[in-house]
Amino acid sequence: MSRAGRVASLLLAGLVCATPAWAFDPSQTFREGTVVFSGEAGYGEQTNVDGFDEQTDLKFWNAGARVSIVPFGPTGSGFVYGALETGLGPLYQRYTDPVNAHFAGLAAAARYHFLSLGVFVPYVELVAAVGRTDLRVREIRSDFAFLLLGGVGASFFVTDETALYAGYRFEHVSNGNSSTPNRGFEAHTGVVGLSFYFPDW
């Protein structure tokens, strides 16, 4: 397991041991129109999915904030009983090894929360970001980049309207063939965050 995966696993274990929101009612917290404010941070390491002979072996951390809405409220039944959250916010990624560079842009996110397990709320998510970068490596060399992330994780509600979350994301970075080279790269990443839910906004 990668370092990012180990960190995410430890944080998830910590969330399970936290004091739960005993009166938590997901149909209220995730009702239609709920506004969500989230802040998060993560760590990642490049992985050689395509089996290239050489890669840069990038390491990086990132941080972001997001304002979201629950557009429909809870739907479905059984395990798939859940709610969609969609949001937008800034994302900053700092490359620390073996080069010093950054990405700064705007990210759109969609997260589906599974609500049948009480205060423990698993989720799946997709995130797409676009922005400026000064990363100059063999995989990508441009002023512009896309970040695409898909992941899984879980939130743990410590109050009816406050949740800690941790998860795993698989990240792809490219410049959309706007310049060369554009081999792009992938990375395993872990994320931790805090969300505040406002059903009566």
Side-chain angles (χ1 to χ4, degrees):
M1 183 183 292
S2 69
R3 184 184 305 173
R6 290 194 299 271
V7 170
S9 297
L10 288 172
L11 288 168
L12 280 172
L15 295 181
V16 170
C17 296
T19 302
W22 294 109
F24 177 65
D25 182 353
S27 67
Q28 293 300 310
T29 301
F30 287 89
R31 69 174 178 252
E32 182 178 348
T34 293
V35 174
V36 187
F37 294 93
S38 300
E40 62 186 32
Y43 173 81
E45 296 183 0
Q46 183 180 358
T47 183
N48 193 355
V49 172
D50 295 311
F52 291 112
D53 291 336
E54 293 182 334
Q55 69 170 16
T56 305
D57 290 324
L58 292 163
K59 297 177 177 60
F60 57 86
W61 58 266
N62 53 39
R66 185 171 60 253
V67 179
S68 304
I69 190 167
V70 178
F72 309 118
T75 59
S77 61
F79 179 73
V80 296
Y81 172 64
L84 177 68
E85 172 194 340
T86 60
L88 194 68
L91 177 66
Y92 179 80
Q93 185 152 290
R94 187 73 191 181
Y95 300 95
T96 58
D97 186 43
V99 298
N100 190 6
H102 76 278
F103 165 91
L106 188 65
R111 180 178 287 186
Y112 188 82
H113 301 268
F114 297 92
L115 303 178
S116 62
L117 300 177
V119 297
F120 183 72
V121 180
Y123 65 79
V124 294
E125 66 177 350
L126 293 172
V127 181
V130 60
R132 301 278 297 178
T133 186
D134 62 356
L135 184 61
R136 303 288 188 270
V137 291
R138 60 170 53 89
E139 293 87 356
I140 183 173
R141 186 179 297 270
S142 63
D143 297 323
F144 168 85
F146 291 104
L147 274 62
L148 302 175
L149 305 98
V152 297
S155 297
F156 190 81
F157 280 79
V158 294
T159 74
D160 291 345
E161 298 174 354
T162 305
L164 300 169
Y165 64 86
Y168 164 82
R169 290 170 172 171
F170 184 76
E171 179 174 329
H172 172 74
V173 178
S174 100
N175 61 30
N177 289 321
S178 61
S179 61
T180 55
N182 184 41
R183 190 173 88 182
F185 68 90
E186 289 73 41
H188 296 298
T189 72
V191 63
V192 294
L194 176 65
S195 292
F196 299 95
Y197 292 75
F198 296 90
D200 299 317
W201 188 266

